[in-house]
């Protein structure tokens, strides 16, 4: 959750007790819980409004799909879960030919009009 480990949670709890005090900490936790619940409800309402305004063809819209990384993965690479395991079966045509090497001591061709 948020990339926070158990040690960080303990440090946050200790700092919260020191800053707010043990008497006000439960009240602050309740307020933070209400705030988080309201933010989640606002996000869900915004998603539902967006789906309703876009129409039935976008009923299955997920906001995570709008992330460019997820968009490419879903639309261009569907059916391919992991690209690291796949090895190319053949080399592309432009890689088949090896470049011609110049004999030792010969200068590369130079075109003064091209530069």
């Amino acid at each position: 959750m948020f990339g926070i480990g158990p040690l960080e949670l303990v440090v946050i709890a200790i700092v919260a007790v020191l800053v707010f005090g043990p008497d006000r900490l439960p009240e602050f936790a309740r307020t933070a819980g209400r705030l988080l619940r309201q933010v989640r409800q606002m996000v869900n309402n915004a998603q539902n409004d967006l789906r309703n305004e876009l129409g039935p063809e976008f009923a299955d819209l997920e906001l995570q799909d709008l992330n460019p990384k997820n968009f490419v993965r879903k639309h261009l690479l569907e059916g391919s879960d992991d690209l690291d395991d796949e090895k190319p079966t053949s080399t592309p045509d432009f890689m088949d030919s090896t470049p011609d090497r110049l004999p030792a001591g010969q200068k590369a061709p130079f075109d003064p009009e091209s530069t």
Side-chain angles (χ1 to χ4, degrees):
M1 180 175 96
F2 303 117
I4 298 175
L7 184 60
E8 287 89 355
L9 287 174
V10 170
V11 170
I12 291 172
I14 291 171
V15 170
V17 168
L18 292 175
V19 170
F20 299 108
D23 298 334
R24 290 182 41 206
L25 191 59
E27 178 186 335
F28 179 73
R30 265 186 248 113
T31 304
R34 277 191 224 116
L35 178 67
L36 183 61
R37 193 175 320 117
Q38 288 175 348
V39 168
R40 285 182 181 169
Q41 185 178 10
M42 287 175 23
V43 168
N44 287 336
N45 289 339
Q47 286 178 345
N48 291 334
D49 289 345
L50 184 63
R51 284 189 187 106
N52 290 337
E53 293 295 324
L54 289 175
E57 58 271 358
F58 292 101
D60 62 344
L61 175 71
E62 291 294 327
L63 292 181
Q64 290 89 8
D65 292 342
L66 299 178
N67 181 343
K69 187 177 182 180
N70 293 340
F71 182 83
V72 169
R73 185 177 296 135
K74 180 178 179 182
H75 294 288
L76 297 180
L77 305 176
E78 67 184 20
S80 173
D81 292 336
D82 192 8
L83 291 178
D84 295 335
D85 295 339
E86 295 180 10
K87 301 291 183 210
T89 55
S90 64
T91 59
D93 292 336
F94 66 89
M95 295 179 70
D96 286 340
S97 62
T98 57
D100 297 329
R101 298 206 178 255
L102 294 173
Q106 183 179 358
K107 290 187 176 184
F110 177 73
D111 186 7
E113 295 177 6
S114 67
T115 57

